Amino acid sequence: MIEIAPSILSANFSRLGEEIKIVERAGASLLHVDVMDGRFVPNITIGLPVVNAISRATRLPIDAHLMIVEPGRYAEQFVQAGAKMVSIHIEADPHAHRTLTAIRAAGAQAGIAVNPATPLSALDEAVKFADYVLVMSVNPGFGGQEFISNSLDKVRRLRKILDERGLRARIEIDGGINSDNVAEVAGAGAEIIVSGSAIFGAPDPAVALRELREATVLWV
Ligand code: DX5
Ligand code: ZN
């Protein structure tokens, strides 16, 4: 099953609860929350108190994408704050096995994220301890960037590696996805498709979400 995960990074933060309700009613099955620390990426967004508040305000599972240095210091706390999925970047954690294991032990799905210029070979071992791999299709830090087209081939290669190795990790993709490229992204093998500006930047986020989902179904 392919899931569309709206990223609240492009939502209107002054009315976040209402924005979340809109995508919840429109049939989102996940909510992608971008946590940035101004160190791993050149931007600062939201942290634990906001994740905690959102988790109380929605029934949608929260997918927390940690774009922070030393994610091992905070990953479990994001699970305690209500996240059902927590991803960390392979580039940010020399102890990814420990952190992924801790996320699972705390009761959430553990994801390993990879930047556009990081080779898939960097994930060789970590992927065994992950429930999903997050392929970044933009350089993380900001919403509204252009999709890096090499990401399609990267997803295809990852799909093949996972299948050949009999690994059950799902593939998530994040960055620059809109109704023009979502079908190709799904066709390449991504199962969780994050979209921020194409949903919350649209005049009607509910319509935009449905369009994305329909475009995906057309492919599969
Ligand atoms: C970027 C974030 C993304 C972002 C995607 O660093 O990880 O989740 O919100 O936004 P769009 O869909 O606008 O590229
Ligand atoms: Zn993200």
Side-chain angles (χ1 to χ4, degrees), residues 7 9 32-36 63 65-67 87 134 136 140 172 174-175 194:
S7 164
L9 188 61
H32 185 84
V33 177
D34 289 305
V35 176
M36 304 186 189
D63 163 29
H65 175 194
L66 306 190
M67 286 160 275
S87 61
L134 170 46
M136 288 306 302
E172 178 172 26
D174 182 9
V194 178

Side-chain angles (χ1 to χ4, degrees), residues 1-216:
M1 187 182 84
I2 292 179
E3 298 190 84
I4 307 280
S7 164
I8 60 165
L9 188 61
S10 296
N12 180 341
F13 282 178
S14 70
R15 45 189 297 274
L16 190 52
E18 293 158 53
E19 298 264 82
I20 291 171
K21 281 288 166 225
I22 290 171
V23 290
E24 188 178 315
R25 281 193 220 105
S29 54
L30 281 177
L31 200 63
H32 185 84
V33 177
D34 289 305
V35 176
M36 304 186 189
D37 66 353
R39 295 188 62 209
F40 182 67
V41 289
N43 194 7
I44 300 176
T45 54
I46 64 178
L48 288 159
V50 176
V51 169
N52 192 279
I54 296 172
S55 74
R56 290 162 197 278
T58 179
R59 57 172 178 76
L60 294 177
I62 292 174
D63 163 29
H65 175 194
L66 306 190
M67 286 160 275
I68 63 176
V69 297
E70 298 186 69
R73 291 178 61 189
Y74 300 99
E76 281 175 271
Q77 294 179 59
F78 278 94
V79 183
Q80 281 145 16
K84 296 283 186 269
M85 298 168 67
V86 177
S87 61
I88 58 161
H89 271 262
I90 190 72
E91 303 87 356
D93 196 349
H95 307 293
H97 170 268
R98 182 158 62 207
T99 309
L100 293 167
T101 304
I103 293 167
R104 282 176 160 178
Q109 289 182 38
I112 189 76
V114 60
N115 279 339
T118 302
L120 291 174
S121 56
L123 300 174
D124 259 11
E125 297 300 323
V127 75
K128 290 187 273 191
F129 317 113
D131 298 297
Y132 60 103
V133 177
L134 170 46
V135 175
M136 288 306 302
S137 41
V138 297
N139 289 293
F142 304 93
Q145 302 182 79
E146 193 178 333
F147 184 81
I148 297 172
S149 57
N150 176 62
S151 315
L152 278 175
D153 183 50
K154 198 172 188 181
V155 169
R156 280 187 209 109
R157 282 182 281 125
L158 176 60
R159 177 81 272 152
K160 193 159 176 274
I161 291 167
L162 294 175
D163 291 347
E164 281 174 3
R165 290 176 62 185
L167 293 165
R168 293 178 46 195
R170 291 192 293 164
I171 301 176
E172 178 172 26
I173 185 162
D174 182 9
I177 293 157
N178 53 44
S179 54
D180 293 334
N181 58 19
V182 69
E184 262 189 308
V185 162
E191 294 163 275
I192 306 166
I193 298 174
V194 178
S195 182
S197 53
I199 294 176
F200 288 109
D204 186 338
V207 171
L209 174 59
R210 282 188 204 112
E211 277 173 7
L212 276 178
R213 192 151 9 80
E214 277 159 24
T216 308

